[in-house]
Amino acid sequence: FAPKQLNTLMRIGLITVTLLAASDAIRHPRFHVAALRDRPRCRVLGCSVPSSVEEMAEAARAAVMSAVVSGQREMTVEAEIVQENDEAFVHLALRCMRALTVLSGPLVLMLPNLKTLAAAEETVSADWPVADRRRLRLGILEYCEPVERAAGVMVAGCSDYDRDSPAHRNACAWLRASTQASVCLNSPAVGLLKFERARFETVFAFEPHHVTREVHRFSAAGRRDAVSHFAERHYVTPQASTPPEGGEEPASAARPNVLGGELPVVTEMLGKAMLYRAHPEPWQVMLALGGASEYERLGQLPAPPPA
């Protein structure tokens, strides 16, 4: 062969070997969830988390009760997974409100809309003792401004509130109107500002996340005939309160490809991660790989993760 033909054949051979190696790498067991499940994992301690709305509500009530008894005055309960479910949302709010009945004096529960107000009134009339019913005031944030102080106040917000709406203004005013304890349910939905949020301690948090892995192909200098490289990325994204139809949405569906490269060659849902806290326990970081139904605790956080 002529030198020019030899050079061309060598380039073709190099590209072929590279592509075969890349395809073997993609098929390698380490790229698949089954291998991650079978791989020995670091088991710190088993940790149980609520598996139903009823269990979550009871855990939140116990956490609020523990914080109130220990003297905590401003606290939040974070469980955005129930934000779009009115029945679960009201159930959680009323269960946390029961923890405030240990206080002496009037109690206030502010809800986001008429539907949640009607559901709360029905539950309180059926299940609450008469003495506690008489000192509990229910209202809608958008229409009820604080005209008097109360021993215990809970504000439950809705994600469609605007910072310029009366609801946001009334929510902040009600949280300041308590004389003994105030609770903010799902603070991002209420819209607390950063300096306002700093005053509150998160006494209960139930924050599930999706863990997704992507493999991207990169071409040197943007040329398709050049040697390709592969990069693996992992994403942890908050779990939506209502999963889209057809299963879980891939994490890359709405995420821009900021690092360049082509579309993902492989996209896999590795499992679930959980940030969990119930006062007085510290923050727990947990992981459930693949289709595991139980979480394993990876460790503890001395302070809440930055927002």
Side-chain angles (χ1 to χ4, degrees):
F1 295 97
K4 186 175 182 180
Q5 292 175 325
L6 284 174
N7 188 28
T8 302
L9 288 174
M10 290 178 62
R11 290 186 60 189
I12 293 175
L14 178 61
I15 294 173
T16 302
V17 170
T18 303
L19 292 177
L20 289 175
S23 63
D24 289 340
I26 295 177
R27 292 194 299 269
H28 194 274
R30 75 182 184 90
F31 281 91
H32 295 277
V33 176
L36 290 173
R37 287 200 301 265
D38 298 336
R39 184 183 305 171
R41 288 175 285 174
C42 179
R43 181 185 294 270
V44 181
L45 281 175
C47 186
S48 61
V49 298
S51 58
S52 65
V53 174
E54 175 63 28
E55 292 182 3
M56 181 172 62
E58 180 57 27
R61 184 204 63 80
V64 173
M65 174 76 76
S66 172
V68 170
V69 171
S70 64
Q72 183 69 33
R73 293 195 55 181
E74 295 175 306
M75 61 201 88
T76 68
V77 173
E78 308 293 354
E80 291 189 57
I81 195 170
V82 303
Q83 188 69 44
E84 304 298 331
N85 187 322
D86 289 337
E87 182 180 355
F89 182 80
V90 171
H91 184 67
L92 177 61
L94 288 177
R95 189 61 66 88
C96 292
M97 199 69 202
R98 290 296 292 267
L100 299 184
T101 57
V102 299
L103 305 174
S104 58
L107 305 173
V108 172
L109 172 58
M110 289 289 115
L111 294 161
N113 51 51
L114 185 60
K115 185 177 180 180
T116 54
L117 176 63
E121 288 178 340
E122 181 180 356
T123 303
V124 169
S125 299
D127 300 337
W128 280 46
V130 176
D132 292 336
R133 283 205 310 261
R134 289 177 176 173
R135 62 193 186 108
L136 175 63
R137 175 186 176 185
L138 299 173
I140 301 177
L141 273 173
E142 192 169 0
Y143 306 114
C144 297
E145 297 182 1
V147 294
E148 59 184 10
R149 299 179 71 82
V153 174
M154 172 176 280
V155 169
C158 190
S159 58
D160 58 357
Y161 281 158
D162 188 350
R163 291 191 185 278
D164 297 328
S165 71
H168 171 69
R169 181 181 66 246
N170 293 342
C172 295
W174 272 115
L175 290 173
R176 293 191 297 267
S178 66
T179 59
Q180 298 182 46
S182 59
V183 181
C184 180
L185 176 57
N186 290 346
S187 59
V190 174
L192 294 180
L193 299 176
K194 190 172 183 179
F195 75 93
E196 295 171 326
R197 179 66 180 81
R199 303 197 316 265
F200 291 76
E201 179 184 355
T202 301
V203 297
F204 180 82
F206 185 90
E207 302 178 4
H209 295 71
H210 291 309
V211 181
T212 308
R213 184 184 68 86
E214 292 180 356
V215 178
H216 290 253
R217 178 187 288 114
F218 293 82
S219 298
R223 296 173 53 190
R224 297 217 176 249
D225 61 342
V227 177
S228 295
H229 303 276
F230 292 86
E232 183 174 348
R233 308 173 191 167
H234 294 82
Y235 298 92
V236 180
T237 55
Q239 178 178 324
S241 56
T242 305
E245 295 183 2
E248 297 172 339
E249 180 183 5
S252 61
R255 181 171 53 248
N257 194 6
V258 295
L259 298 180
E262 302 175 5
L263 293 177
V265 178
V266 176
T267 300
E268 290 181 341
M269 189 71 69
L270 293 183
K272 299 176 292 184
M274 173 72 74
L275 277 174
Y276 181 75
R277 200 258 167 135
H279 190 278
E281 299 297 325
W283 286 81
Q284 311 284 343
V285 181
M286 291 170 285
L287 183 66
L289 288 178
S293 58
E294 296 184 357
Y295 287 93
E296 290 188 9
R297 194 182 73 179
L298 299 182
Q300 299 179 351
L301 297 177

